[in-house]
Amino acid sequence: MPHRLPLFPLGTVLFPGSAMPLHVFEDRYRSLIADLLDLPADEPRRFGVLCIEIGHEVGEMSAHQLCDVGCVAEMRTVRKHEDGRFDLLVEGVSRFRVEEYLDDGSPYLRAAITPMPDEVGADADAYAERAGRLFTVYRDRLQRHGIPIDSQDDFPAEPLPLSYALSAALLTDRHDKQELLESDHAAARLERAGELLRRENRLLSTLPLLPAGQFMQHDVNLN
């Protein structure tokens, strides 16, 4: 049966197991966070992060501008400012698919969603080993350009969490990221991550210098 979930559209993709800082200043999302904080202490404070497929979030967001697959985010830390803004740190929990947007008078988007299964898939270990080798080259080439990136030493070993960790670490656009999030299983995600890593490694090998600023992904996301 579909679950009901409040939604937080962003211009980026959240993956299960990854942390994301958020700065919440818009009134409707202040309301969302306030409603979650009013939940009983033993109830998880969760909302769905959906990537904006077309354009930016300005004014009313129509459903066709959002991707169908997103990631449930759980609030880990919350800091409220005196003016009502919030600083959050959230962690991706699991994937979901939007079944229907709800017209229930809420100031923020809500939807009926279905959790998506996480499967490993065939030959996942082989794809994981290949993607890991490509990521080592990728990280070394980025560092030569002065672009820091997460250490591979911190990545999980199992194919499923590794597939999400590699997807989150890749410095590529949101369309590639969304494709990785929507992959049928870990093996397919690792195979696609390997293809993207090969593409990026070729690019990095041909360019003597890259403007590092456009690749930084650790900034706070604004609503």
Side-chain angles (χ1 to χ4, degrees):
M1 293 291 293
H3 303 282
R4 296 188 172 205
L5 190 69
L7 300 179
F8 200 121
L10 286 173
T12 189
V13 177
L14 176 66
F15 291 92
S18 295
M20 177 183 288
L22 296 172
H23 179 65
V24 181
F25 60 88
E26 194 173 339
D27 287 343
R28 53 183 158 175
Y29 298 119
R30 293 188 194 186
S31 297
L32 187 160
I33 303 306
D35 287 348
L36 292 176
L37 292 175
D38 285 340
L39 293 173
D42 60 347
E43 190 168 338
R45 292 167 169 81
R46 293 179 173 180
F47 55 86
V49 171
L50 275 182
C51 184
I52 300 169
E53 189 170 24
I54 301 173
H56 303 280
E57 189 188 10
V58 177
E60 293 299 321
M61 175 63 64
S62 49
H64 73 274
Q65 293 178 288
L66 302 178
C67 296
D68 294 329
V69 173
C71 182
V72 175
E74 184 163 336
M75 293 164 53
R76 297 303 188 196
T77 64
V78 183
R79 178 192 172 201
K80 185 175 182 179
H81 295 268
E82 291 184 359
D83 61 3
R85 293 175 294 122
F86 293 95
D87 289 324
L88 310 178
L89 182 65
V90 303
E91 182 177 348
V93 177
S94 58
R95 300 183 302 160
F96 66 88
R97 182 179 297 277
V98 172
E99 301 295 343
E100 179 186 8
Y101 289 93
L102 302 175
D103 185 11
D104 57 5
S106 171
Y108 46 83
L109 279 176
R110 286 165 44 84
I113 63 99
T114 300
M116 295 178 65
D118 268 327
E119 299 177 354
V120 176
D123 300 322
D125 288 327
Y127 286 122
E129 193 275 335
R130 194 174 308 154
R133 284 190 284 105
L134 289 165
F135 187 83
T136 299
V137 175
Y138 177 65
R139 185 169 179 265
D140 289 345
R141 290 181 179 177
L142 283 175
Q143 287 182 326
R144 290 193 202 119
H145 290 283
I147 303 169
I149 190 169
D150 293 338
S151 171
Q152 196 170 352
D153 297 337
D154 299 328
F155 289 173
E158 293 300 314
L160 179 58
L162 176 63
S163 73
Y164 286 131
L166 285 173
S167 297
L170 267 165
L171 305 186
T172 186
D173 66 35
R174 60 187 174 182
H175 303 292
D176 289 334
K177 297 268 193 178
Q178 185 66 29
E179 182 183 359
L180 290 164
L181 181 68
E182 294 184 15
S183 296
D184 290 338
H185 41 65
R189 187 173 301 110
L190 288 164
E191 181 181 20
R192 179 57 180 154
E195 293 170 354
L196 292 170
L197 284 164
R198 280 192 290 270
R199 182 192 75 187
E200 296 302 304
N201 284 340
R202 287 196 298 270
L203 173 65
L204 288 167
S205 70
T206 60
L207 297 178
L209 182 63
L210 294 175
Q214 66 175 313
F215 293 98
M216 302 301 286
Q217 65 175 21
H218 300 293
D219 295 336
V220 173
N221 287 276
L222 305 177
N223 71 273

